[in-house]
Amino acid sequence: MEDKWFKKGFKHTKFYSEDDNIFSLKDEEIDDDCIAYASDQSAYESESESDGKRRSRPANLNAFDLISFSPGFSLSGLFEDGSKESRFVTGAPVSKIVSKLEEIAKVVSFSMRKKDCRISLEGSREGVKGPLTITVEIFELTPKLRVVEVKKKAGDKGEYEEFCERELRPGLRPLMLPGTCEPSRLVPGPDEERNKG
Amino acid sequence: MGCFNSTVRKPVPGHENPTILASQTAFSVSEVEALFELFKSISSSVIDDGLINKEEFQLALFKNRKKENLFANRIFDLFDVKQKGVIDFGDFVRALNVFHPNAPQEDKISFCFKLYDMDGTGFIERQEVKQMLIALLCESELKLADDTIEIILDKTFSEADVDQDGKIDKSEWHNFVTKNPSLLKIMTLPYLRDITTTFPSFVFNSEVEEIAT
């Protein structure tokens, strides 16, 4: 399925059910990590509508959402050697996160699309696996804290990792809380184990 | 189609009849055979005995056989229904069945409850959730202060623990998950729909094809 040949003409339609309705998603609008996979979806939708500004009410994360971030729960590791997501906690408001991303996108001439708290950055260079596309999603953890999640949606893994190392992470670092550790390895070092924050 | 008496092939250790497994699950016979290809590669990676042990499971998930992980341990324990410390092919298929996109929601909700009920008391206690949350924070890039952790736990339990007894029982869990369907995201593997494409070597090994010759 990774091979472009298989994808020719293939329309991957995903369905999700919410509140007893079945919705289908067009691939280019939202992908399988749709509906800001976090709890409190109703708050996410109704608040943004009632505010009249469909802008930036992020979806809320509860304890189980956080726990489910663990790669130990992700059996997709059995099937693919995918790029891991990256997450960090910030005290910055959504608008500041978004404008930081805009800055970064501008520097590398990536296009940026935004739908509520979900941002897509896309490069123009056609690599072997197509243009690098990165999804950034913002969630609310507490009234003072947001969680920013970054993952590769399309493109070459090496290119993605390079982009994260050289542009994305340094650009976002000012927003990260002090003491945020750099995610360089799979196995936490001894000091990380003790530092539970 | 499949024939029960296909004894032409010598039995591979850990290999249950794919037709029987297919009839018990949402998988077709070809899909079970494709899963067998996956199972073979995982179960032979450290000890070639037709069974997946904890190290092999860790190797498959993390590409690191020594990586201990609280959550992977929970999943392993639930796959290992006979509690023998190893997962056989039948266990593997039946457990993965719950993760199939077409598997009943009830099964997913139930499996997920057991996952979080670490000590198997039939309740998800606040202390258990705190322990899991701290474990998650240790292994991830996320760092949170103690009082933030308490705020998150308070928020979660005020929504989930309706009778406010400090723990979430099965029916509270059921209601909570129904209101927050994203919590079941970890319980579905879209890859399972494409399994025969991901593991095409089954085509050459298929019992069904051999019968024709």
Side-chain angles (χ1 to χ4, degrees), chain A residues 33 38-40 60-63 65-66 70-71 73 76-77 79-80 86-87 141 183 186-187 193 196-197, chain B residues 60 62-64 67 69 71 115 136 138-139 141-142 144-146 148 155-156 176 180 182-183 185 189 191 195:
Chain A
D33 307 301
S39 309
D40 204 15
N60 223 281
L61 296 177
N62 64 37
D65 289 312
L66 288 178
S70 176
F73 275 150
S76 53
F79 299 94
E80 56 150 26
S86 233
R87 296 180 184 92
L141 188 59
L186 210 50
V187 180
E193 304 242 32
K196 62 170 172 58
Chain B
F62 307 118
K63 315 304 171 221
N64 175 349
K67 182 168 167 80
N69 179 288
F71 308 108
L115 211 54
L136 181 279
C138 280
E139 72 179 34
E141 312 161 60
L142 301 174
L144 297 175
D146 286 347
T148 310
K155 183 175 72 170
T156 306
F176 184 55
N180 299 294
S182 62
L183 292 175
K185 181 187 178 189
L189 292 169
Y191 301 97
I195 191 88

Side-chain angles (χ1 to χ4, degrees), chain B residues 122-133:
Chain B
F123 298 97
I124 301 173
E125 285 101 354
R126 187 186 164 111
Q127 192 49 36
E128 277 173 323
V129 182
K130 182 166 181 175
Q131 192 186 343
M132 289 189 279
L133 196 46

Side-chain angles (χ1 to χ4, degrees), chain B residues 42-164:
Chain B
I42 300 174
S43 62
S44 58
S45 60
V46 178
I47 308 172
D48 192 1
D49 59 354
L51 299 166
I52 300 177
N53 67 16
K54 183 74 79 71
E55 275 197 8
E56 288 166 336
F57 191 68
Q58 284 164 186
L59 183 61
L61 275 191
F62 307 118
K63 315 304 171 221
N64 175 349
R65 67 197 251 191
K66 292 297 178 198
K67 182 168 167 80
E68 292 276 348
N69 179 288
L70 179 70
F71 308 108
N73 287 349
R74 288 303 300 143
I75 301 242
F76 187 90
D77 284 345
L78 290 182
F79 272 55
D80 175 21
V81 279
K82 302 188 270 297
Q83 289 292 285
K84 286 157 104 182
V86 283
I87 299 169
D88 64 32
F89 183 55
D91 297 332
F92 187 68
V93 174
R94 281 183 285 263
L96 280 182
N97 185 43
V98 182
F99 291 82
H100 195 284
N102 298 340
Q105 281 293 91
E106 280 310 310
D107 293 355
K108 293 179 194 279
I109 294 175
S110 193
F111 192 101
C112 202
F113 183 85
K114 284 189 262 184
L115 211 54
Y116 293 131
D117 176 18
M118 290 203 295
D119 54 12
T121 54
F123 298 97
I124 301 173
E125 285 101 354
R126 187 186 164 111
Q127 192 49 36
E128 277 173 323
V129 182
K130 182 166 181 175
Q131 192 186 343
M132 289 189 279
L133 196 46
I134 291 173
L136 181 279
L137 293 171
C138 280
E139 72 179 34
S140 80
E141 312 161 60
L142 301 174
K143 296 295 168 233
L144 297 175
D146 286 347
D147 54 355
T148 310
I149 293 173
E150 295 301 320
I151 292 172
I152 294 167
L153 286 170
D154 287 343
K155 183 175 72 170
T156 306
F157 271 75
S158 74
E159 191 187 339
D161 178 19
V162 176
D163 62 10
Q164 291 288 294

Side-chain angles (χ1 to χ4, degrees), chain A residues 24-90:
Chain A
S24 90
L25 308 166
K26 298 290 182 300
D27 201 31
E28 65 273 3
E29 280 175 356
I30 317 175
D31 65 7
D32 58 287
D33 307 301
C34 64
I35 48 169
Y37 262 115
S39 309
D40 204 15
Q41 187 58 26
S42 52
Y44 177 45
E45 283 172 354
S46 59
E47 297 216 23
S48 55
E49 261 139 49
S50 63
D51 286 351
K53 36 176 180 143
R54 270 185 76 54
R55 283 202 63 98
S56 42
R57 183 66 208 222
N60 223 281
L61 296 177
N62 64 37
F64 294 101
D65 289 312
L66 288 178
I67 291 165
S68 68
F69 286 165
S70 176
F73 275 150
S74 173
L75 291 182
S76 53
L78 295 180
F79 299 94
E80 56 150 26
D81 188 23
S83 282
K84 293 163 63 215
E85 303 102 344
S86 233
R87 296 180 184 92
F88 66 90
V89 181
T90 177

